[in-house]
Amino acid sequence: MGELLKTMFITYAALALFTGCFFGRCIFVVIKKTTNMGNQKLKIALRSVICSVIAIFWLYVFIYMNMYPRSLAYYEYKNDVADETTGTISDITYVNKEIIHIRINNTNYTMAYSSKKPYKGIGTDIDEGDTVKIKFGVNSKYIFDIYESDIGT
């Protein structure tokens, strides 16, 4: 599980860096293209609005929505900031090939998943309705360890 979290963190950090360089270049182009404008107030307004929109979009989408949750999960896994609970799975949703959302006792958790080398077969070994015990990150709600529990059966 640690390798999956580390790989996801490094991948999204590289993606954020690459897109940051691209959007930084876009900001540079906007500033360069507006240098020959005659109206000083319009030039400042265009630069401010366009550059702010680009920067806020990058920060929200690539940093806050993508990189932050994965870096928090990796930090919690690495420093053992975790909690344990037992409950019944009510819903399993596959977001993409590396992320699964699992609802246990009306709380949403996220799990890093490798379909090529699964830690546990979600949907085969563990399915909806099963009682499971999980170890998860306190703030990130990423599942670090999941296994079937005999409690409740």
Side-chain angles (χ1 to χ4, degrees):
M1 182 60 67
E3 285 300 314
L4 287 173
L5 290 172
K6 182 178 180 181
T7 303
M8 282 180 22
F9 167 68
I10 290 171
T11 302
Y12 281 95
L15 178 67
L17 181 64
F18 175 75
T19 57
C21 291
F22 174 75
F23 286 128
R25 180 72 177 149
C26 291
I27 289 172
F28 178 74
V29 167
V30 166
I31 291 172
K32 188 151 178 98
K33 292 289 184 180
T34 57
T35 54
N36 295 331
M37 290 182 72
N39 189 345
Q40 188 69 14
K41 289 182 181 181
L42 182 61
K43 178 171 48 172
I44 291 172
L46 277 175
R47 285 179 177 178
S48 298
V49 169
I50 293 172
C51 293
S52 297
V53 167
I54 290 172
I56 291 170
F57 174 77
W58 177 75
L59 284 170
Y60 182 74
V61 171
F62 292 99
I63 301 298
Y64 181 72
M65 294 297 294
N66 288 315
M67 189 175 154
Y68 175 70
R70 285 142 181 98
S71 64
L72 180 61
Y74 180 61
Y75 170 81
E76 288 179 339
Y77 181 80
K78 192 174 176 184
N79 294 306
D80 199 28
V81 181
D83 199 5
E84 290 186 4
T85 189
T86 303
T88 304
I89 297 175
S90 59
D91 186 38
I92 297 174
T93 307
Y94 293 87
V95 176
N96 56 35
K97 66 178 184 174
E98 64 183 24
I99 299 292
I100 298 175
H101 291 299
I102 301 173
R103 181 184 294 268
I104 300 172
N105 294 342
N106 292 327
T107 304
N108 291 324
Y109 298 96
T110 305
M111 183 174 171
Y113 186 72
S114 172
S115 58
K116 294 180 182 173
K117 186 179 163 189
Y119 174 69
K120 290 282 185 188
I122 304 299
T124 55
D125 296 339
I126 297 173
D127 206 359
E128 291 180 18
D130 290 346
T131 302
V132 293
K133 186 169 185 178
I134 60 170
K135 182 177 180 182
F136 62 94
V138 175
N139 296 317
S140 66
K141 301 289 187 208
Y142 262 75
I143 296 174
F144 302 144
D145 192 13
I146 185 169
Y147 52 93
E148 286 189 83
S149 177
D150 294 335
I151 298 172
T153 55

